Protein backbone atom coordinates (compact mmCIF):
# COMPACT_ATOMS: atom_id res chain seq x y z
CA UNK A 1 0.00 0.00 0.00
CA UNK A 2 1.12 3.55 -0.66
CA UNK A 3 1.47 6.02 2.23
CA UNK A 4 -1.66 7.90 1.14
CA UNK A 5 -3.60 4.61 1.21
CA UNK A 6 -2.38 3.83 4.73
CA UNK A 7 -3.33 7.32 5.98
CA UNK A 8 -6.74 7.04 4.31
CA UNK A 9 -7.30 3.59 5.87
CA UNK A 10 -6.48 4.90 9.35
CA UNK A 11 -8.78 7.92 8.94
CA UNK A 12 -11.66 5.74 7.72
CA UNK A 13 -11.29 3.33 10.66
CA UNK A 14 -11.14 6.18 13.18
CA UNK A 15 -14.22 7.88 11.72
CA UNK A 16 -16.14 4.59 11.72
CA UNK A 17 -15.28 3.96 15.37
CA UNK A 18 -16.40 7.43 16.47
CA UNK A 19 -19.67 7.24 14.54
CA UNK A 20 -20.40 3.72 15.80
CA UNK A 21 -20.02 4.87 19.42
CA UNK A 22 -22.39 7.81 18.90
CA UNK A 23 -24.84 5.84 16.80
CA UNK A 24 -25.38 3.08 19.33
CA UNK A 25 -27.50 5.39 21.48
CA UNK A 26 -29.25 7.12 18.57
CA UNK A 27 -30.37 4.23 16.37
CA UNK A 28 -34.16 4.03 16.32
CA UNK A 29 -34.26 0.71 14.50
CA UNK A 30 -36.70 2.11 11.89
CA UNK A 31 -34.55 1.49 8.82
CA UNK A 32 -35.71 2.50 5.35
CA UNK A 33 -34.37 2.46 1.80
CA UNK A 34 -35.10 5.51 -0.35
CA UNK A 35 -35.11 5.02 -4.12
CA UNK A 36 -36.88 8.28 -4.92
CA UNK A 37 -34.89 10.82 -6.87
CA UNK A 38 -35.16 14.44 -5.84
CA UNK A 39 -37.38 16.34 -8.25
CA UNK A 40 -35.60 18.96 -10.39
CA UNK A 41 -36.07 22.62 -9.51
CA UNK A 42 -39.05 24.36 -11.11
CA UNK A 43 -38.35 25.12 -14.74
CA UNK A 44 -35.52 22.59 -15.02
CA UNK A 45 -35.91 19.74 -17.50
CA UNK A 46 -37.23 16.52 -15.96
CA UNK A 47 -34.82 13.60 -15.75
CA UNK A 48 -35.53 10.34 -17.53
CA UNK A 49 -36.76 8.98 -14.18
CA UNK A 50 -39.74 11.30 -14.39
CA UNK A 51 -40.68 10.78 -18.05
CA UNK A 52 -43.79 8.94 -19.16
CA UNK A 53 -43.54 5.21 -19.68
CA UNK A 54 -40.59 4.64 -17.34
CA UNK A 55 -42.62 3.97 -14.21
CA UNK A 56 -45.67 1.97 -13.25
CA UNK A 57 -48.91 3.89 -12.81
CA UNK A 58 -48.65 5.91 -9.57
CA UNK A 59 -45.09 4.77 -8.75
CA UNK A 60 -41.91 6.73 -9.37
CA UNK A 61 -39.10 5.05 -11.27
CA UNK A 62 -36.15 4.12 -9.05
CA UNK A 63 -33.26 6.57 -8.87
CA UNK A 64 -30.48 5.89 -11.37
CA UNK A 65 -27.00 7.21 -12.18
CA UNK A 66 -27.22 11.00 -12.40
CA UNK A 67 -30.08 11.28 -9.90
CA UNK A 68 -29.93 12.89 -6.46
CA UNK A 69 -31.46 11.45 -3.29
CA UNK A 70 -32.06 13.59 -0.19
CA UNK A 71 -30.76 11.65 2.82
CA UNK A 72 -31.17 12.06 6.57
CA UNK A 73 -28.82 11.06 9.36
CA UNK A 74 -29.58 10.44 13.03
CA UNK A 75 -29.91 14.11 13.91
CA UNK A 76 -32.47 16.38 12.24
CA UNK A 77 -29.67 18.70 11.14
CA UNK A 78 -27.67 15.87 9.53
CA UNK A 79 -28.94 15.95 5.95
CA UNK A 80 -27.29 15.72 2.54
CA UNK A 81 -28.21 15.53 -1.12
CA UNK A 82 -26.23 12.61 -2.55
CA UNK A 83 -25.81 12.04 -6.28
CA UNK A 84 -24.29 9.05 -8.05
CA UNK A 85 -22.54 10.96 -10.83
CA UNK A 86 -20.71 8.22 -12.72
CA UNK A 87 -19.84 4.51 -12.59
CA UNK A 88 -16.59 3.28 -14.16
CA UNK A 89 -16.53 -0.50 -14.49
CA UNK A 90 -13.18 -2.28 -14.88
CA UNK A 91 -11.41 0.83 -13.61
CA UNK A 92 -7.62 0.77 -13.84
CA UNK A 93 -5.65 1.05 -10.62
CA UNK A 94 -3.95 4.37 -9.86
CA UNK A 95 -0.44 2.85 -9.98
CA UNK A 96 1.42 -0.46 -10.27
CA UNK A 97 0.62 -1.26 -6.62
CA UNK A 98 -3.13 -0.77 -7.06
CA UNK A 99 -4.36 -4.00 -8.59
CA UNK A 100 -7.44 -6.10 -7.87
CA UNK A 101 -6.92 -9.63 -6.56
CA UNK A 102 -7.04 -12.54 -9.01
CA UNK A 103 -10.57 -13.07 -10.30
CA UNK A 104 -11.64 -9.56 -9.23
CA UNK A 105 -12.09 -6.15 -10.88
CA UNK A 106 -12.27 -2.55 -9.71
CA UNK A 107 -15.49 -0.56 -10.01
CA UNK A 108 -15.19 3.16 -9.29
CA UNK A 109 -18.33 5.11 -8.35
CA UNK A 110 -18.29 8.91 -8.30
CA UNK A 111 -20.48 10.58 -5.66
CA UNK A 112 -21.39 14.22 -5.14
CA UNK A 113 -22.31 15.01 -1.53
CA UNK A 114 -23.99 18.35 -0.76
CA UNK A 115 -24.38 19.27 2.91
CA UNK A 116 -27.97 20.52 3.17
CA UNK A 117 -28.03 20.72 6.98
CA UNK A 118 -25.03 21.10 9.24
CA UNK A 119 -21.51 20.46 7.94
CA UNK A 120 -20.91 16.98 6.54
CA UNK A 121 -17.97 15.52 8.49
CA UNK A 122 -17.60 11.83 7.77
CA UNK A 123 -15.72 9.13 5.85
CA UNK A 124 -17.68 8.49 2.63
CA UNK A 125 -15.95 5.13 2.15
CA UNK A 126 -17.84 3.83 5.21
CA UNK A 127 -21.17 4.95 3.75
CA UNK A 128 -21.29 3.22 0.35
CA UNK A 129 -22.07 -0.32 -0.80
CA UNK A 130 -22.31 -1.90 -4.24
CA UNK A 131 -24.81 -4.71 -4.86
CA UNK A 132 -24.82 -7.31 -7.60
CA UNK A 133 -27.81 -8.91 -9.30
CA UNK A 134 -27.78 -11.76 -6.75
CA UNK A 135 -28.09 -9.35 -3.83
CA UNK A 136 -24.51 -9.72 -2.64
CA UNK A 137 -23.08 -6.48 -1.27
CA UNK A 138 -19.52 -5.18 -1.51
CA UNK A 139 -17.86 -2.54 0.66
CA UNK A 140 -15.34 -0.02 -0.58
CA UNK A 141 -11.66 -0.85 -0.79
CA UNK A 142 -8.67 1.36 -0.03
CA UNK A 143 -7.36 1.70 -3.59
CA UNK A 144 -7.70 4.69 -5.90
CA UNK A 145 -8.10 4.33 -9.66
CA UNK A 146 -7.42 6.32 -12.80
CA UNK A 147 -11.17 7.01 -13.05
CA UNK A 148 -10.59 10.26 -11.17
CA UNK A 149 -9.90 11.90 -7.82
CA UNK A 150 -11.02 9.80 -4.85
CA UNK A 151 -12.37 11.04 -1.54
CA UNK A 152 -9.75 11.32 1.17
CA UNK A 153 -10.37 9.20 4.26
CA UNK A 154 -12.23 11.93 6.14
CA UNK A 155 -14.24 14.68 4.44
CA UNK A 156 -15.49 18.00 5.83
CA UNK A 157 -18.06 19.86 3.72
CA UNK A 158 -19.46 23.19 4.88
CA UNK A 159 -23.25 23.71 4.94
CA UNK A 160 -24.55 24.41 1.44
CA UNK A 161 -21.33 23.24 -0.24
CA UNK A 162 -20.52 20.03 -2.12
CA UNK A 163 -17.75 17.46 -2.31
CA UNK A 164 -17.03 15.24 -5.31
CA UNK A 165 -15.00 12.06 -5.39
CA UNK A 166 -14.71 8.43 -6.44
CA UNK A 167 -14.99 5.40 -4.17
CA UNK A 168 -13.53 2.08 -5.35
CA UNK A 169 -15.07 -1.37 -4.95
CA UNK A 170 -13.36 -4.70 -5.62
CA UNK A 171 -15.86 -7.21 -7.02
CA UNK A 172 -15.71 -10.61 -8.75
CA UNK A 173 -14.96 -10.36 -12.48
CA UNK A 174 -18.27 -12.05 -13.34
CA UNK A 175 -20.43 -9.98 -10.95
CA UNK A 176 -23.39 -8.26 -12.65
CA UNK A 177 -23.76 -4.84 -11.05
CA UNK A 178 -27.28 -3.93 -10.00
CA UNK A 179 -27.45 -1.19 -7.35
CA UNK A 180 -25.34 1.22 -5.33
CA UNK A 181 -26.28 2.44 -1.85
CA UNK A 182 -25.21 5.32 0.39
CA UNK A 183 -26.05 5.84 4.08
CA UNK A 184 -25.09 8.87 6.17
CA UNK A 185 -23.31 8.64 9.54
CA UNK A 186 -20.68 6.24 8.18
CA UNK A 187 -23.35 3.79 7.06
CA UNK A 188 -25.09 3.71 10.45
CA UNK A 189 -28.10 6.01 9.82
CA UNK A 190 -31.59 4.53 9.48
CA UNK A 191 -32.18 5.82 5.92
CA UNK A 192 -30.28 4.42 2.95
CA UNK A 193 -30.31 5.89 -0.57
CA UNK A 194 -30.35 3.37 -3.42
CA UNK A 195 -29.65 3.86 -7.14
CA UNK A 196 -30.42 1.28 -9.83
CA UNK A 197 -27.50 0.63 -12.19
CA UNK A 198 -29.15 -1.62 -14.79
Amino acid sequence: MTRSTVRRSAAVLLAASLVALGAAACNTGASSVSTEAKKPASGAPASAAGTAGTAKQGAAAPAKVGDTIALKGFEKTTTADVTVVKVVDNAEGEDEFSKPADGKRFVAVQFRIKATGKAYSDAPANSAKLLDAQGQSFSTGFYDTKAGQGFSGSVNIAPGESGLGFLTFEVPKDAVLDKVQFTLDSGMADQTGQWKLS
Side-chain angles (χ1 to χ4, degrees):
M1 286 189 184
T2 62
R3 286 186 183 175
S4 63
T5 301
V6 172
R7 282 196 304 271
R8 188 166 41 256
S9 302
V12 169
L13 292 173
L14 176 61
S17 300
L18 293 174
V19 170
L21 288 172
C26 300
N27 197 334
T28 64
S31 298
S32 67
V33 176
S34 176
T35 61
E36 186 175 344
K38 202 172 172 184
K39 293 186 175 35
S42 180
S47 72
T51 57
T54 60
K56 294 179 181 177
Q57 186 80 20
K64 61 186 185 343
V65 175
D67 286 336
T68 299
I69 297 178
L71 293 178
K72 299 173 189 172
F74 289 120
E75 300 176 15
K76 288 182 180 178
T77 56
T78 305
T79 58
D81 284 351
V82 180
T83 308
V84 173
V85 178
K86 185 190 297 185
V87 177
V88 180
D89 203 349
N90 285 306
E92 187 180 347
E94 167 182 56
D95 53 39
E96 67 271 22
F97 304 107
S98 306
K99 293 182 180 178
D102 288 345
K104 302 279 184 81
R105 73 186 197 261
F106 285 148
V107 178
V109 180
Q110 189 180 42
F111 291 91
R112 183 181 303 281
I113 304 167
K114 180 178 181 181
T116 55
K118 67 179 185 179
Y120 174 91
S121 296
D122 204 348
N126 294 333
S127 298
K129 291 198 178 298
L130 190 61
L131 285 76
D132 69 11
Q134 295 180 339
Q136 296 179 104
S137 68
F138 304 93
S139 298
T140 57
F142 297 117
Y143 293 111
D144 285 330
T145 69
K146 292 183 178 178
Q149 179 65 42
F151 279 115
S152 61
S154 182
V155 173
N156 294 295
I157 303 170
E161 295 185 2
S162 298
L164 180 69
F166 278 95
L167 296 174
T168 304
F169 300 84
E170 190 172 357
V171 304
K173 278 188 176 176
D174 60 353
V176 178
L177 306 181
D178 187 41
K179 302 176 187 81
V180 64
Q181 296 181 336
F182 196 93
T183 309
L184 297 182
D185 295 322
S186 273
M188 304 290 289
D190 294 327
Q191 183 192 24
T192 294
Q194 179 173 281
W195 294 260
K196 186 82 171 149
L197 300 180
S198 55

